[in-house]
Amino acid sequence: SSVNSALMAFGKAMADRGLADGVRVNAINPGPVETGRLTARIEAFAKEHGIAEAEARAAMVKDQQVIRFGRPEEIAAAVAYLDGPEGGFFQGAVIDLDGGSTKGL
């Protein structure tokens, strides 16, 4: 989590610099996303606990306190939104795209 915090702080610093240079800078803080790495973790968890992959997935979702695991195309859609005209007023934003794992105020 310290690396994530450092990256978010770096993004904020770059956004401040971006104001002076006319460059928009935002960050997406993704949670667990269905990638090969996550799939391998699910498979390993299932094997380790002697359960089906669907059961392992459900247990991991519950453990990580998210509504579900994200999909890569959802992250891509958020990036496209931020880069498009609809996202033109975002500057220095950090978007937690994590299915609810980040608990805010």
Side-chain angles (χ1 to χ4, degrees):
S1 66
S2 62
V3 171
N4 287 343
S5 295
L7 286 171
M8 286 186 277
F10 180 72
K12 291 285 189 179
M14 292 295 96
D16 286 345
R17 176 65 189 184
L19 286 173
D21 295 335
V23 176
R24 287 189 304 122
V25 178
N26 297 291
I28 294 175
N29 185 27
V33 176
E34 292 274 356
T35 62
R37 180 178 173 191
L38 179 59
T39 301
R41 286 180 50 213
I42 293 168
E43 291 169 357
F45 186 90
K47 186 175 181 179
E48 179 182 332
H49 292 88
I51 57 177
E53 285 184 28
E55 190 178 349
R57 177 183 305 278
M60 290 175 70
V61 164
K62 184 177 180 182
D63 183 59
Q64 294 189 31
Q65 299 181 342
V66 294
I67 57 172
R68 62 176 172 76
F69 295 137
R71 297 183 314 271
E73 56 269 21
E74 292 173 308
I75 306 302
V79 171
Y81 177 84
L82 286 173
D83 190 44
E86 298 88 357
F89 196 53
F90 280 93
Q91 175 67 8
V94 176
I95 299 173
D96 294 320
L97 192 53
D98 61 8
S101 66
T102 300
K103 308 303 183 222
L105 298 174

